[in-house]
Amino acid sequence: MHYEGMIIRPPSEADSIILQVTVGCSHNKCTFCGTYKGERFRIKDDAVIDADIQYAAKHLSFLRRVFLADGDALIIPQARLVRIFSRIREEMPWVRRVGLYGNAKSILRKTPEELEELRDLGLGIVYLGVESGDAQVLKDIKKGVTPERLIEAGRRIRSVGLKLSVTVLLGVGGRERSMNHARATGELLTAMDPNYVGVLTLMLLPNTELGQKAQEGRFELLTQTEFLMELRQMLHYTHMSRGLFFANHASNYLPLKVRMPGEKEKALTTIDEALQGAVRLKPEWLRAL
């Protein structure tokens, strides 16, 4: 397989064929993210993509899912994306699901009919990085989108029968906007009603704008207790009709897997017990991105 740079994928795609169709991220301005710094976004040549599909068809036939990397494969123009999906179907007819990252811009550039076309060709899930539902926090981290547009994008994915998995980020609002960020994010998730929510905890990186701000004393990272309080506030304001609310990423201090809505109250109690010191938190040395 022709991999370039740093390849990332959602935890749930661990057993998928990773097919890199783009290099980098089409936005690449978020202040907290250092994944693609210095990497210019581009779509890979069709010949390279075809060669990787053929390799996967020959050597990876025991895998039943495909994930299209890198940061935002959905931004690929529809005709080229349809070609990629068609080649996957032709060469690997056993594949049950294709997943990819999308952002609000790339999702809303696709009409419902175009998304349905991709769905019919095998697209099953879209991963959307939300980070926050607070308009000020989104502006501060240079997400390039408003809460309203994020909700619209999420609802468009759900409306055409695709699964939606979103990620949100504890601590990204700093100490000043912590509770505003948590409440607004819970309210956004309620409005969007995704199938899956993945909660991550902010870890500052030195090669990011946010990491530099923290070093200069212009951003305050939360304490363990404050992260837990933010998680509790976020979950409290999140009302999902069904689905899973995960806080079990390697970056989290308190791993949670909550089947919504039935297990929500139990999870809130667990957080309360952790705040009281009755539940052991993950030690710092075990946390990772």
Side-chain angles (χ1 to χ4, degrees), residues 69-214:
D70 271 336
D72 182 19
L74 195 60
I75 202 73
I76 297 174
Q78 184 72 1
R80 290 191 69 182
L81 206 47
V82 165
R83 181 185 183 280
I84 292 169
F85 273 84
S86 298
R87 295 288 292 130
I88 291 171
R89 173 159 288 188
E90 291 166 6
E91 297 290 339
M92 296 182 283
W94 62 84
V95 167
R96 297 172 184 166
R97 189 184 82 180
V98 180
L100 46 66
Y101 284 123
N103 60 28
K105 177 181 177 181
S106 65
I107 292 170
L108 294 175
R109 285 178 64 174
K110 301 292 186 190
T111 65
E113 292 74 23
E114 288 174 328
L115 290 171
E116 288 171 353
E117 182 179 27
L118 296 176
R119 179 202 64 200
D120 292 344
L121 287 170
L123 180 62
I125 188 168
V126 175
Y127 298 88
L128 171 63
V130 166
E131 324 315 345
S132 179
D134 186 313
Q136 184 60 53
V137 172
L138 291 171
K139 182 178 179 181
D140 290 344
I141 65 175
K142 299 182 180 178
K143 189 69 181 177
V145 69
T146 63
E148 292 77 16
R149 293 283 281 175
L150 283 168
I151 292 169
E152 183 183 359
R155 286 177 172 175
R156 181 167 300 185
I157 292 298
R158 295 278 275 136
S159 71
V160 298
L162 292 170
K163 291 187 180 299
L164 175 65
S165 179
V166 306
T167 55
V168 295
L169 190 55
L170 296 176
V172 75
R175 181 164 291 120
E176 181 180 349
R177 296 202 64 81
S178 176
M179 290 296 102
N180 300 76
H181 158 62
R183 176 172 181 165
T185 303
E187 291 172 344
L188 180 145
L189 293 173
T190 299
M192 190 181 284
D193 199 23
N195 302 92
Y196 309 101
V197 175
V199 182
L200 283 68
T201 299
L202 177 65
M203 299 184 74
L204 293 171
L205 301 174
N207 70 328
T208 64
E209 185 177 337
L210 196 58
Q212 289 295 317
K213 285 180 69 175

